[in-house]
C-alpha cells in the first residue's frame, strides 16, 4: 500500500473507517467519501469529502475528481457505501427494493464510472466492491437486500470483463460483519461465525494491492467460519 492513492466510499462507517485507517497505516493516501459531513481537515495523506450522495452521478464524479485533484491520481476505489434492510417480500414495501438498489448498486456504479478514467491511467488500477454472502442464496426477509447485492456481483463481473487488462475489478462477499450495530440487532446470534471488520479489511486491501494483479472478476466469500 505504500504511496498508493485509495478512494474509500462509505469511509466514515464501521467497515470504511477500519479500511481507511489500515490503508494509511501501510503508507497509502486515502480519500474518504461519505454521505455524512466531513469530520477532519485535509492533509497530504488524507482528505474527507462529506455530504456526498453517490446515487447521484454528478455528485459522485465531483467527489472522485476532487480526490484525484488533491492527490494527483487514483490507484484504487473501494466501494463500501451501502445499506441494509430486513423485510419479507409479501409484507414489505416496494420502496425498500428501490432504496436497496439505490444504496447498494447505484452508489457502486456511479463511483466506479467516475473513477475508471483515473484508474485506467494508473499502472495498477483496482476496484473492490462489497457484495454479500447472503446474496448467493437469499433467506426469508433478505429479498430486497440480497437482490441489490446480487446486482453488485453482476456489476463486478461486467466491469471486470469490460476493463480487463486495464483495471481489475473484484468483490468480497462477507458473512455478517461483527459490528456494534449488528450485535445490538442480533443479540442471540453466534458472533464467532461473523467476520470482523479487520479481517475483511485485510482481504480488501490485498485485492487493492499490486500482489492481486492476476485477480479480476472474482467474488470472494469472507467469513462464515465454523
Amino acid at each position: 500500500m505504500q504511496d498508493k492513492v485509495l478512494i474509500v466510499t462509505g469511509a466514515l462507517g464501521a467497515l470504511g473507517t477500519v479500511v481507511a485507517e489500515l490503508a494509511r497505516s501501510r503508507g497509502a493516501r486515502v480519500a474518504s467519501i461519505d454521505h455524512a459531513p466531513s469530520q477532519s481537515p485535509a492533509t497530504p495523506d488524507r482528505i474527507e469529502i462529506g455530504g456526498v450522495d453517490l446515487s447521484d452521478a454528478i455528485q459522485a464524479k465531483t467527489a472522485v475528481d476532487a480526490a484525484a485533484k488533491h492527490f494527483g491520481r487514483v490507484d484504487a476505489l473501494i466501494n463500501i457505501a451501502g445499506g441494509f434492510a430486513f423485510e419479507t417480500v409479501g409484507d414489505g414495501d416496494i420502496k425498500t427494493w428501490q432504496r436497496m438498489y439505490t444504496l447498494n448498486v447505484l452508489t457502486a456504479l456511479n463511483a466506479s464510472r467516475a473513477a475508471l478514467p483515473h484508474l485506467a491511467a494508473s499502472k495498477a488500477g483496482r476496484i473492490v466492491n462489497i457484495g454479500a454472502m447472503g446474496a448467493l442464496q437469499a433467506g426469508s426477509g433478505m429479498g430486497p437486500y440480497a437482490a441489490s447485492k446480487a446486482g453488485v456481483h453482476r456489476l463486478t463481473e461486467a466491469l471486470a470483463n469490460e476493463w480487463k487488462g486495464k483495471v481489475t475489478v473484484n468483490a468480497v462477499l462477507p458473512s455478517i460483519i461483527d459490528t456494534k450495530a449488528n450485535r445490538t440487532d442480533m443479540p442471540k446470534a453466534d458472533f464467532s461465525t461473523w467476520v470482523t471488520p479487520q479481517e475483511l479489511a485485510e482481504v480488501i486491501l490485498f485485492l487493492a494491492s499490486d500482489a492481486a494483479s492476476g485477480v479480476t472478476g472474482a467474488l470472494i466469500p469472507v467469513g462464515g467460519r465454523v
Side-chain angles (χ1 to χ4, degrees):
M1 287 292 104
Q2 187 65 40
D3 295 325
K4 294 287 187 185
V5 175
L6 276 62
I7 292 177
V8 181
T9 74
L12 301 183
L15 176 60
T17 298
V18 172
V19 171
E21 290 180 351
L22 183 60
R24 285 197 299 271
S25 75
R26 295 179 179 175
R29 292 175 285 169
V30 179
S32 298
I33 298 176
D34 204 283
H35 191 267
S38 174
Q39 300 175 354
S40 303
T43 66
D45 70 336
R46 68 179 293 178
I47 182 174
E48 288 186 2
I49 305 171
V52 180
D53 179 2
L54 289 170
S55 70
D56 182 287
I58 294 175
Q59 290 191 44
K61 185 177 187 306
T62 299
V64 168
D65 288 350
K69 182 177 180 180
H70 183 76
F71 292 120
R73 70 176 198 277
V74 178
D75 298 309
L77 169 67
I78 315 298
N79 280 314
I80 297 177
F84 175 78
F86 185 89
E87 195 170 272
T88 60
V89 175
D91 297 328
D93 191 330
I94 191 65
K95 291 182 179 179
T96 302
W97 290 76
Q98 295 167 333
R99 182 164 61 89
M100 288 295 94
Y101 178 82
T102 297
L103 290 176
N104 293 320
V105 181
L106 283 186
T107 56
L109 171 64
N110 288 335
S112 296
R113 283 167 59 95
L116 278 165
H118 301 290
L119 296 171
S122 169
K123 293 181 180 180
R126 308 278 187 264
I127 294 176
V128 184
N129 294 323
I130 308 299
M133 201 179 296
L136 299 177
Q137 183 174 11
S140 176
M142 295 291 286
Y145 175 75
S148 68
K149 284 298 188 179
V152 173
H153 299 177
R154 303 292 82 80
L155 171 64
T156 300
E157 293 166 340
L159 285 176
N161 278 286
E162 290 172 12
W163 290 80
K164 187 172 290 185
K166 298 178 181 177
V167 177
T168 69
V169 188
N170 297 288
V172 295
L173 281 54
S175 60
I176 300 172
I177 303 175
D178 192 356
T179 65
K180 181 178 179 180
N182 282 338
R183 287 191 177 219
T184 300
D185 290 342
M186 294 172 275
K188 297 182 180 180
D190 180 1
F191 306 144
S192 68
T193 65
W194 294 3
V195 60
T196 68
Q198 291 76 16
E199 289 171 327
L200 192 52
E202 290 284 358
V203 180
I204 290 169
L205 292 185
F206 166 72
L207 292 172
S209 73
D210 291 339
S213 61
V215 184
T216 195
L219 307 176
I220 303 174
V222 185
R225 55 190 180 277
V226 293

